[in-house]
Amino acid sequence: MAGAAALRRASGRAFRTLDNSSAPSRKIVLPERLLSSQASPEHRPRPSVSGSELGQYPPERIRNFSIIAHVDHGKSTLADRLLELTGTIQKGHGQPQYLDKLQVERERGITVKAQTATMFYKHAVETSESHVADTPSYLLNLIDTPGHVDFSYEVSRSLAACQGALLVVDAAQGVQAQTIANFYLAFESNLSIIPVINKIDQPTADPDNVKAQLKRLFDIDPSEALLTSAKTGQGLSQVLPAVIERIPCPPGSCDSPVRMLLLDSYYDEYKGVICHVAIVDGAMRKGDKISSAATGRTYEVFDVGIMHPELTPTGVLYTGQVGYVITGMRSTKEARIGDTLHQAKSVVEALPGFKPVRHMVFSGVYPADGSDFEALSHAIEKLTCNDASVSVSKETSTALGMGFRCGFLGLLHMDVFHQRLEQEYGAQVISTIPTVPYIFEYGDDSKVQIENPAALSLNTGKRVMACWEPTVIATIIIPSEYVGPVIMLCSERRGEQQEYTFIDAHRALLKYRLPLREIIVDFYNELKSITSGYATFDYEDSEYQKSDLVKMDILLNGQPVDAMATIIHNQKAQKVGRELVDKLKKFIERQMFEITIQAAIGSKIIARET
């Protein structure tokens, strides 16, 4: 964590106080005819938005911002209230958590797919004589971000399109693990950060204590914090004025060739791939030809518009604005998050930060009923049309039949993928123990990255000289009475302590470097168990570290089961092998003949049951 002095030096930067076309048009708010911001949203007119009206908003009257928060601190509810306050949606109409479109997002209280919403808001500007000089209308783009560390790259790309962020903290729970992770993502992106202490209507709310935590951890001036209740509406009238006054306008050149950042994409059965984009320079119009800096492919713009809050064609997007574009892409794999889209046949500098997706968790996925492979194949094909970050390849296993080997961003990403398979497509699946990518160095100095343990053969004639495994920096916030058990848990998982501090008189913050392999199976459940559910946990990717790794096979009557092979630390092989064969003995039905269950490292049997 950066020191307080470093934060103070940067605080001037981080906490500035500036700051198809033939389809019928949708009835929505006309920006220039909006009533006063204090008027009831239900009574505001909702005519259509045209490209000429968007042209009335130069970058100086545009604000792009995000809302970041720990899970269940009120981020989605606050977004709903802001959409209602600006008349973008009508109060009492539509579903709660409007920007969370997926069923899994509502059930688990997390945001999986980034969403954007354009709002129009009139803000009174005061002169030095303290009287109102004008009430210009501002274009506000709310760029909602995924709410979990496993989607940190998507979060970073969404934040790259913003100039500021609302950091929401629960007035009763205070700063949590994801609060810290999200703050530093926004801080490193050089965003103006507006702290919002939410849920002040709760009986246990203690906003003064939360202000002290923000000061101690982030060097945020307590006077900068806004006190709100998204549930009752208390304090919400100060949020959008703060966005306009404290967040700077987007940079960019209106006269340069068009250059835009690709934030996210999803697949529509009728329109194809719909890309969410932020215009950095120039203007993009329907009929333009654009190219991808990552793939080099060229497309024609068939439709362009804003999310207000649904797809609203405008025919054009200008500098600083955020919206959507439809180009005829056939798969989301062509739409790479963080890519730079630019005017075809023009040479532009690609926007910084783009990198290919890194899959850090791998698992085999098989149909619960072996005869359902074709149905599973069809379900995965349709789902991956909407999720280009999942890597899928077919594989064959003698034990479990035909299945797939899938790569995910993280464990939560894998869980959400499985849940969506079941909810959206009715596919019942069995998944193998998740693994992580390891690096093995052989005697001939060659290095190989292993994602599937079954692919690691110890009989190639090459001697393994060294192994590396990925690690993470984990942030854990717990009540102080649980410090001892949590330190013991992290030590058992081969953790290395990085930091141990107290947030206040009752809560401690621990930072550990942990092998990724040690946290992807049951670490979080065990952490919640030993802390009676009070722990909050977040992590960020770190570098690879050298480790003593071995491949452990599971044999049934002497035949290896590829789907159950795993790579594990040598010191833990005996214990894990014993646990696995014990479980298999319980789950495999009794037969009329003997079944030998063995765990083996190479030719050495380390555990056996019959």
Side-chain angles (χ1 to χ4, degrees):
M1 182 181 296
L7 283 174
R8 278 193 293 272
R9 285 195 298 272
S11 62
R13 177 178 79 249
F15 309 117
R16 315 184 253 264
T17 54
L18 318 168
D19 214 322
N20 304 3
S21 62
S22 60
S25 7
R26 212 169 159 274
K27 298 296 182 183
I28 50 180
V29 175
L30 176 64
E32 293 302 331
R33 297 179 187 173
L34 279 175
L35 303 181
S36 169
S37 60
Q38 286 76 24
S40 174
E42 298 94 311
H43 299 99
R44 296 177 184 172
R46 296 177 66 81
S48 61
V49 176
S50 67
S52 61
E53 289 167 335
L54 282 186
Q56 298 174 19
Y57 292 87
E60 294 77 23
R61 284 165 56 195
I62 297 175
R63 299 293 185 270
N64 299 325
F65 70 101
S66 179
I67 305 177
I68 53 179
H70 187 79
V71 171
D72 201 32
H73 279 205
K75 177 168 77 82
S76 297
T77 305
L78 178 60
D80 284 354
R81 299 294 84 80
L82 297 182
L83 291 174
E84 292 173 358
L85 184 66
T86 56
T88 309
I89 61 175
Q90 291 187 8
K91 187 175 183 179
H93 290 67
Q95 55 193 5
Q97 300 176 344
Y98 190 89
L99 294 180
D100 290 339
K101 307 290 187 182
L102 301 176
Q103 181 180 347
V104 66
E105 294 179 316
R106 300 177 179 280
E107 289 183 356
R108 303 184 68 151
I110 56 173
T111 300
V112 173
K113 294 290 287 182
Q115 300 289 341
T116 63
T118 298
M119 305 176 286
F120 300 97
Y121 183 78
K122 280 200 169 186
H123 175 62
V125 179
E126 296 185 359
T127 65
S128 56
E129 290 78 19
S130 299
H131 66 271
V132 176
D134 192 12
T135 55
S137 181
Y138 286 81
L139 188 155
L140 310 177
N141 290 307
L142 169 58
I143 303 170
D144 197 20
T145 60
H148 194 274
V149 65
D150 284 353
F151 304 94
S152 59
Y153 178 59
E154 288 95 326
V155 174
S156 70
R157 295 302 85 205
S158 294
L159 294 181
C162 300
Q163 286 73 51
L166 301 177
L167 179 66
V168 178
V169 185
D170 190 303
Q173 298 181 31
V175 173
Q176 303 289 344
Q178 278 182 246
T179 313
I180 295 174
N182 286 324
F183 169 82
Y184 282 107
L185 274 176
F187 185 79
E188 291 164 4
S189 299
N190 198 29
L191 302 188
S192 296
I193 300 174
I194 302 175
V196 177
I197 301 177
N198 193 30
K199 302 187 181 182
I200 60 172
D201 60 305
Q202 292 186 344
T204 56
D206 189 356
D208 291 336
N209 184 45
V210 177
K211 288 181 181 180
Q213 293 174 13
L214 293 173
K215 175 64 177 177
R216 185 180 303 112
L217 290 171
F218 309 133
D219 201 28
I220 292 179
D221 185 346
S223 64
E224 296 287 327
L226 307 179
L227 303 182
T228 67
S229 169
K231 180 180 179 180
T232 66
Q234 183 179 353
L236 292 184
S237 60
Q238 58 185 328
V239 175
L240 291 179
V243 167
I244 293 172
E245 294 166 7
R246 301 193 200 180
I247 295 176
C249 61
S253 171
C254 300
D255 301 322
S256 300
V258 65
R259 188 172 59 147
M260 67 192 97
L261 174 67
L262 201 160
L263 303 177
D264 199 8
S265 65
Y266 65 94
Y267 185 81
D268 182 274
E269 291 185 3
Y270 303 101
K271 298 181 179 181
V273 176
I274 299 176
C275 299
H276 290 191
V277 297
I279 309 297
V280 177
D281 296 314
M284 177 180 62
R285 293 175 172 81
K286 181 179 177 181
D288 285 354
K289 295 289 182 66
I290 59 173
S291 296
S292 161
T295 66
R297 297 185 182 181
T298 298
Y299 307 93
E300 181 179 350
V301 176
F302 296 131
D303 190 17
V304 59
I306 58 176
M307 306 293 289
H308 189 58
E310 304 300 331
L311 299 180
T312 305
T314 61
V316 63
L317 284 176
Y318 296 98
T319 304
Q321 297 177 359
V322 177
Y324 72 91
V325 59
I326 300 175
T327 62
M329 290 185 184
R330 297 182 179 181
S331 167
T332 53
K333 296 190 183 300
E334 297 179 47
R336 303 184 182 181
I337 294 176
D339 189 10
T340 301
L341 301 178
H342 59 89
Q343 192 172 20
K345 298 183 179 179
S346 66
V347 180
V348 299
E349 182 180 354
L351 297 168
F354 173 74
K355 58 183 178 182
V357 171
R358 288 180 63 200
H359 298 109
M360 295 305 294
V361 174
F362 296 84
S363 177
V365 178
Y366 299 86
D369 184 337
S371 62
D372 291 339
F373 174 76
E374 290 301 326
L376 175 62
S377 176
H378 181 65
I380 288 181
E381 181 180 357
K382 292 188 71 174
L383 187 50
T384 52
C385 279
N386 264 320
D387 197 344
S389 58
V390 179
S391 68
V392 179
S393 60
K394 290 183 179 179
E395 68 171 17
T396 303
S397 169
T398 56
L400 297 177
M402 196 70 175
F404 298 87
R405 189 76 183 172
C406 300
F408 307 95
L409 302 176
L411 189 63
L412 176 73
H413 191 211
M414 183 184 76
D415 290 344
V416 168
F417 182 83
H418 290 167
Q419 195 168 346
R420 292 180 67 190
L421 275 178
E422 295 182 1
Q423 291 179 346
E424 297 174 27
Y425 304 102
Q428 300 297 317
V429 300
I430 296 172
S431 60
T432 60
I433 298 174
T435 62
V436 300
Y438 301 96
I439 296 176
F440 286 81
E441 181 180 354
Y442 293 99
D444 60 357
D445 294 333
S446 63
K447 291 184 179 180
V448 178
Q449 179 169 302
I450 300 295
E451 300 159 358
N452 183 358
L456 178 63
S457 174
L458 300 180
N459 299 315
T460 59
K462 296 181 180 180
R463 182 183 176 188
V464 176
M465 303 300 294
C467 317
W468 287 268
E469 63 179 338
T471 64
V472 298
I473 300 296
T475 301
I476 304 170
I477 295 180
I478 50 174
S480 53
E481 60 264 32
Y482 297 110
V483 167
V486 171
I487 288 178
M488 186 176 299
L489 172 64
C490 293
S491 298
E492 289 173 355
R493 299 303 180 99
R494 300 188 284 128
E496 175 188 339
Q497 190 177 103
Q498 305 285 305
E499 185 177 342
Y500 174 21
T501 57
F502 283 91
I503 297 177
D504 52 35
H506 306 289
R507 293 194 304 157
L509 182 150
L510 297 173
K511 278 200 172 184
Y512 270 85
R513 182 186 303 279
L514 287 159
L516 179 59
R517 168 68 176 79
E518 297 289 346
I519 69 168
I520 63 171
V521 180
D522 61 352
F523 179 84
Y524 186 63
N525 291 339
E526 198 164 337
L527 176 66
K528 283 288 188 180
S529 176
I530 65 175
T531 62
S532 303
Y534 287 111
T536 62
F537 169 73
D538 208 339
Y539 66 89
E540 57 183 297
D541 292 338
S542 188
E543 70 269 9
Y544 275 70
Q545 70 178 12
K546 187 173 286 189
S547 186
D548 182 13
L549 304 174
V550 292
K551 177 191 176 187
M552 184 175 70
D553 287 304
I554 299 296
L555 313 178
L556 296 181
N557 284 343
Q559 297 299 315
V561 181
D562 289 346
M564 299 192 69
T566 185
I567 296 173
I568 194 168
H569 193 273
N570 197 17
Q571 292 180 352
K572 291 198 165 189
Q574 186 86 26
K575 178 184 176 182
V576 174
R578 169 56 54 194
E579 291 173 350
L580 276 175
V581 297
D582 286 345
K583 285 183 180 179
L584 286 173
K585 182 180 180 180
K586 295 176 183 177
F587 284 106
I588 295 177
E589 295 182 359
R590 289 182 177 272
Q591 307 293 326
M592 297 298 293
F593 54 89
E594 187 177 88
I595 299 177
T596 303
I597 308 169
Q598 298 169 311
I601 297 176
S603 58
K604 180 183 177 182
I605 305 299
I606 61 172
R608 171 182 171 137
E609 287 289 348
T610 301

